[in-house]
């Protein structure tokens, strides 16, 4: 099939490339000419395991190209909207500027297709009610609107696109339009459906709610175990054993139960805030008041890490050298949006310490964007003569560090394991003062 993808950021570039991998002819549209040129050269503008090779193969194979011109979508039957919905500068609500601009730019180029209806397919995470509003705009064209939310995890984006754990169609209310639209989208995802991936159909509102409900649940689970970590710190209990114990209950499960400095990135924080804002607009804000505490707990874990560092350094950051291992919000990504590691590093530096930060993927980007920060090539360079080391992003390179070797380069062997991924006994045996989150 001929497919277009509007928006070639993280979501759009990955989706476009994976659709080409499935055998479709794909054009990606973006307003950023520099990004388009980079993608057309087969190079990714972000770090994502396995993506570079896939992108280069599809571009060189001729199935995938990128453009700044909406006119290049004219042959496509299916048009995916994959632009960002960042948090508004005025409050918690999602900024719909890019979604609205994408649809407005696309509508003049929508044409009837001989093989069934033309589709405009929303993948962006939007406030519930958006699809109905956009469907009214698209309704004057020869196209139907479908909402098909994405569930990508950074670091697993290719895998999650090609082998998702479910596919959701938010279909038009008219039964004939719904049936015809579903058939076209089935053709896009033929190989996935043949592999047995579950396909669920819903109305627009339900499809929109699936993504934000899922993210809100995950955020709640993370903040719950971090709240338990606070209780463990007050009582001397071990949150890692607690998490393992409750995780054996199959109603709870073990995933997202690792206490630490909290979640970040471009999805969970802004999605739960936008969800709260939309609930307020709908007059049901009390239904989601618990998310406010979820957000508060998450922020508090960052503050707690700074306070612990302050105590370990004798009550002052002035004149101290602090190594921070990690800048991205999670490993296998260079995404620093709402990164706990970067927030903690900035707070410590702002109180007078010299902070040296390192990250295998985000480090080069940080060095360019923040020339005011000391960025080291690796953990040993960052930790040289350090009075304190903080592990804040759980990259394998950091998890696998030899504590005896690292001890040789620091001024004072103190470490805060902000992700609870190190073996406390091994580090203490190597002479370190070890501090985890919610564990003795």
């Amino acid at each position: 099939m001929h497919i277009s993808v509007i928006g070639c950021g993280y979501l759009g570039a990955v989706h476009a490339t994976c659709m080409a991998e499935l055998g479709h002819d794909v054009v990606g549209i973006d307003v950023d000419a520099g990004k388009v040129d980079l993608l057309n050269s087969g190079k990714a503008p972000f770090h994502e395991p396995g993506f570079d090779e896939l992108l280069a193969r599809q571009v060189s194979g001729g199935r995938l190209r990128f453009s700044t011109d909406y006119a290049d979508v004219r042959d496509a039957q299916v048009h995916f909207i994959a632009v960002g919905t960042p948090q508004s500068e005025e409050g918690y609500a999602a900024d719909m500027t890019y979604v609205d601009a994408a649809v407005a730019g696309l509508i003049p180029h929508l044409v009837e297709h001989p093989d069934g209806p033309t589709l405009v397919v929303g993948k962006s995470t939007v406030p519930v009610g958006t699809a109905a509003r956009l469907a009214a705009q698209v309704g004057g064209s020869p196209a139907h609107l479908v909402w098909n939310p994405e569930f990508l995890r950074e670091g697993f984006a290719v895998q999650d696109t090609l082998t998702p754990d479910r596919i959701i169609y938010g279909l038009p209310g008219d039964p004939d339009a719904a049936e015809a639209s579903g058939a076209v989208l089935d053709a896009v995802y033929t190989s996935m459906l043949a592999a047995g991936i579950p396909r669920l159909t819903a109305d627009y509102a339900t499809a929109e709610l699936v993504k934000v409900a899922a993210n809100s649940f995950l955020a709640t689970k993370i903040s719950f175990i971090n709240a338990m970590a606070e209780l463990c710190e007050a009582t001397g209990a071990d949150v890692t054993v607690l998490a393992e114990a409750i995780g054996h209950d199959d109603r709870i499960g073990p995933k997202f139960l690792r206490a630490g400095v909290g979640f970040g990135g471009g999805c969970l924080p802004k999605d739960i805030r936008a969800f709260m804002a939309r609930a307020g607009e709908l007059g049901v804000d009390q239904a989601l008041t618990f998310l406010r505490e979820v957000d508060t707990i998450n922020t508090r874990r960052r503050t707690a890490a700074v306070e612990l560092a302050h105590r370990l350094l004798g009550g002052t950051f002035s004149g101290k050298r602090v190594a921070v291992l990690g800048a991205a919000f999670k490993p296998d990504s260079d995404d620093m949006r709402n990164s706990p590691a970067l927030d903690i590093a900035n707070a410590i530096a702002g109180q007078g310490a010299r902070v040296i930060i390192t990250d295998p993927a985000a480090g080069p980007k940080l060095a360019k964007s923040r020339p005011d920060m000391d960025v080291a090539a690796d953990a040993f360079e960052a930790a040289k003569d350090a009075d304190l080391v903080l592990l804040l992003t759980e990259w394998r390179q950091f998890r696998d560090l030899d504590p005896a070797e690292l001890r040789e380069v620091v001024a004072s062997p103190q470490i805060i394991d902000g992700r609870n991924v190190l073996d406390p006994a091994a580090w203490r045996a190597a002479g370190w003062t070890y501090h985890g989150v919610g564990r003795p």
Side-chain angles (χ1 to χ4, degrees), residues 216 272 275-279 284-293:
S216 295
I272 65 171
F275 202 11
M276 286 188 281
R278 184 57 178 150
V284 290
D285 49 305
Q286 289 186 343
L288 297 182
T289 53
F290 72 95
L291 287 180
R292 196 170 302 279
E293 184 59 23

Side-chain angles (χ1 to χ4, degrees), residues 223 226-227 230 260-261 293-307:
S223 282
N226 278 331
E230 293 184 18
V261 291
E293 184 59 23
V294 167
D295 196 20
T296 299
I297 292 169
N298 189 56
T299 302
R300 195 160 65 230
R301 296 317 299 164
R302 305 180 189 198
T303 304
V306 176
E307 292 172 348

Side-chain angles (χ1 to χ4, degrees), residues 29 174 350 412:
I29 304 295
D174 176 80
S412 178

Side-chain angles (χ1 to χ4, degrees), residues 23-361:
H24 304 300
D25 291 316
V26 184
V27 58
I29 304 295
D30 200 279
V31 297
D32 186 334
K35 183 191 298 179
V36 164
D37 289 343
L38 188 65
L39 289 165
N40 275 326
S41 72
K43 298 178 180 177
F46 50 80
H47 175 83
E48 175 63 33
F51 180 63
D52 284 14
E53 297 83 353
L54 194 66
L55 172 67
R57 183 166 71 247
Q58 294 307 324
V59 169
S60 64
R63 281 206 186 106
L64 177 64
R65 63 190 179 91
F66 298 89
S67 172
T68 58
D69 189 351
Y70 273 95
D72 287 337
V73 310
R74 58 185 173 273
D75 294 328
Q77 182 179 4
V78 179
H79 307 271
F80 287 99
I81 305 296
V83 296
T85 53
Q87 184 174 320
S88 170
E89 293 182 2
E90 285 76 35
Y92 277 3
D95 183 349
M96 298 301 294
T97 301
Y98 303 109
V99 170
D100 290 340
V103 173
L106 181 61
I107 285 176
H109 302 282
L110 296 172
V111 297
E112 293 185 6
H113 202 277
D115 296 328
T118 299
L119 297 187
V120 175
V121 183
K123 293 206 73 70
S124 303
T125 303
V126 296
V128 60
T130 300
R133 176 174 65 82
L134 295 178
Q137 294 177 238
V138 172
S141 73
H144 298 316
L145 183 85
V146 177
W147 215 262
N148 175 220
E150 56 86 15
F151 302 100
L152 303 191
R153 298 167 296 163
E154 293 196 35
F156 300 91
V158 172
Q159 170 188 324
D160 288 347
T161 304
L162 294 175
T163 57
D165 50 17
R166 76 281 205 196
I167 303 173
I168 312 295
Y169 297 175
L171 296 171
D174 176 80
D176 292 336
E179 182 179 0
S181 298
V184 173
L185 210 48
D186 283 349
V188 173
Y189 295 132
T190 296
S191 61
M192 296 182 187
L193 298 174
I197 292 169
R199 167 193 181 275
L200 290 79
T201 61
D203 54 58
Y204 288 150
T206 304
E208 291 167 314
L209 283 170
V210 169
K211 174 61 187 291
V212 290
N215 277 357
S216 295
F217 185 85
L218 297 175
T220 300
K221 200 169 181 182
I222 295 167
S223 282
F224 169 81
I225 200 62
N226 278 331
M228 295 302 101
E230 293 184 18
L231 288 171
C232 287
E233 287 167 355
T235 60
D238 190 332
V239 75
T240 62
V241 178
L242 173 64
E244 181 180 4
I246 65 175
H248 279 294
D249 186 330
D250 60 10
R251 297 169 300 174
I252 298 173
K255 293 183 177 179
F256 286 81
L257 284 181
R258 179 186 291 149
V261 291
F263 57 81
C267 290
L268 290 191
K270 65 99 175 174
D271 284 355
I272 65 171
R273 292 167 185 168
F275 202 11
M276 286 188 281
R278 184 57 178 150
E281 293 169 354
L282 294 169
V284 290
D285 49 305
Q286 289 186 343
L288 297 182
T289 53
F290 72 95
L291 287 180
R292 196 170 302 279
E293 184 59 23
V294 167
D295 196 20
T296 299
I297 292 169
N298 189 56
T299 302
R300 195 160 65 230
R301 296 317 299 164
R302 305 180 189 198
T303 304
V306 176
E307 292 172 348
L308 175 58
H310 190 256
R311 290 198 303 272
L312 294 178
L313 291 173
T316 181
F317 285 117
S318 181
K320 303 295 185 180
R321 185 181 176 102
V322 176
V324 171
L325 310 185
F329 85 96
K330 66 178 293 187
D332 297 316
S333 172
D334 61 356
D335 191 345
M336 293 177 283
R337 289 177 295 174
N338 209 329
S339 166
L342 204 53
D343 276 359
I344 292 166
N346 283 330
I348 292 173
Q351 294 184 50
R354 182 184 176 191
V355 174
I356 301 88
I357 190 167
T358 185
D359 189 285

Side-chain angles (χ1 to χ4, degrees), residues 374-398:
D374 288 325
V375 180
D378 58 34
F380 286 90
E381 181 181 329
K384 182 175 173 55
D385 298 326
D387 299 295
L388 176 65
V389 177
L390 292 89
L391 191 162
L392 300 178
T393 309
E394 62 271 35
W395 284 92
R396 178 168 295 279
Q397 292 94 321
F398 304 151

